[in-house]
Structure formats: structure tokens, C-alpha cells
Amino acid sequence: MLRLGEAGVIVAYSCGMPAFIPIASRVVGGENAKPHSWPWQVSLQIIEPGRQIHVCGGTLIATNWVLTAAHCINRNRKYLVYLGKHNLKKNEPGSLGIKPEKIIVKEDWDPTRVRNDLALIKLSQRVRPNNKIQPACLPPAGSILPNRFFCFITGWGRLSTGGPLPEVLQEARMPIVDYATCSRPNWWGSIVKTTMVCAGGDGNVSGCNGDSGGPLICRPGRVWQVHGITSFVSSQGCNIFQKPTVFTRVSAYIDWIRKVGVCMLKQSAGGLTFSRQFTSQPRKAHPVYPS
């Protein structure tokens, strides 16, 4: 999508290339994100009489589709999807609150074992990408990042176990923990499956309550890709040593995302463009809780 920018310069908006470059620093424990530097970040809010409450994050992956966690969805709740937000307590120019047209939870979502923890939200209207709202790219199907590859978690989750909720979007740098390591008995053991991806585990940086559904965002090339959906942490706390944050691995579900009918982004000689093609198609045995 193109627009005429200042001085007549044509600006192209595509996936995974924010207009405001992220800080992307190595700070331990996370920090305030630069405003609108993660333009695909979504705040999923529930609607209650006289107020709206942030409950989960999400990732814009097309002009009318948001990716989030299945455990964020309650059929008895009414939701509003906020895009273009930085400070949840302020009215911000350019931000949008859009009602879902429909919500599709993965049909084999298993809340007991926290497997297949993903859902898609179709927005009731398409958004026009701009410098504050833009989709993230999806990774290639089946792709797995190497151990210690650095990614970022973003969200409005608690700053520590039982701690306060931030007003502004947070970002934290986290290394990928490969499956061989994450599935060791003294890490997550058999709870972790190959359809998941782990990151963190140093006891300092992690996801926490309120980050659920948001992205593990990585840049293996020139664009940012959403490689994970924040799923769960340890019941002992958010930032426990050798209990990294566990994410649903997005690359394991690309076929399902296509079958739902999401308008995908494709690589072309001229860059990334919107495709017009739609597809038709011993504490306890389970010491986890949704983050």
C-alpha cells in the first residue's frame, strides 16, 4: 500500500517494517518501548459497563486479521481490539478500537495441557496501514530459529510476578531456547512440545500476566516476523530460572492460518506486498498458568 509522504515522497507500507525504528536494546528486565515502534501490537480488551479492560495482547497479521492466544478468548465476553496504542490510559491520535466480526479458536485447542493455544480475530473493518498501524510478517511454514537467537517480547503485562501493570507498552529482549534444551527435565520437560517455542529462562526477563496473546517478534532477515504467541509461564512466578516463557510456535500453524482465509503477505521482486489471493482452505504434573 502506498501513500504520498512529505515533499512528494511515496512511502510504502508493508509487513514487518515499522516507520519508527524500535529501541531494540539489551536492557535486562525490559523497558518502555519507543511509541509506535511495534505497530502490529494489539491490545485485546473486554467490554464491561462503563469501561474497557486490557486482558491480552495480539498481533495484526493482515489488514483485518489479528493473531492471539486461544486462552484469551471467553465466549461469554464482548471484545474490542485496539490498534495504534502506546499508552493505554490516554486517548491517542491515530489509535483505533474495532469490534471483532468473528473469533476463530483453533479447533483442537487443549486448555488442560495448553496445546494449540492460538486464535484468529477477524476485524469488522479493514485498517489502512500507516506509521502507527502495520501488520507483522508471518514466518515461513516450519521455520525454527536457532538456540540463543535474540527476539523481543512486547506487551502491557505485569512488570513482575504480582507487580503493577504498566501504562505504556513494554519491550524486552529474549534469547530463543531450543527444544532440546527447553524439554530437559530440569527445564520444562515433557510439558513443552515441538509446536511451541521457548525464550528467556535467565530468571530476569519473561512474559507475565497481561502479555498473553502478544508476539514474540524476531528479525531473521530484513523484516520483523511474529514467531510466537505468548502462552504460559511457571506457576511459581513469571521470571523463574530455567522456566522460560513458552509461546505457541506460529510457523507450525501457517497452513491453518491460510485455511481460515487470512489475506497473506507475499514476497515480490519489488518488496513485500499484500496478496489478493485468499485460501479456502514435582510440584504438579502441569505447573503452568496462562500468562
Side-chain angles (χ1 to χ4, degrees), residues 144-160:
I144 296 176
L145 295 173
N147 193 47
R148 302 295 300 173
F149 187 93
F150 278 96
C151 297
F152 283 83
I153 184 173
T154 57
W156 289 277
R158 295 192 183 277
L159 299 175
S160 59

Side-chain angles (χ1 to χ4, degrees), residues 174-175 177 187 198-206 239-245:
M174 302 173 74
V177 179
W187 286 64
C198 304
D202 62 359
N204 294 311
V205 179
S206 74
N239 46 346
I240 302 299
F241 181 64
Q242 291 186 348
K243 289 293 183 289
T245 305

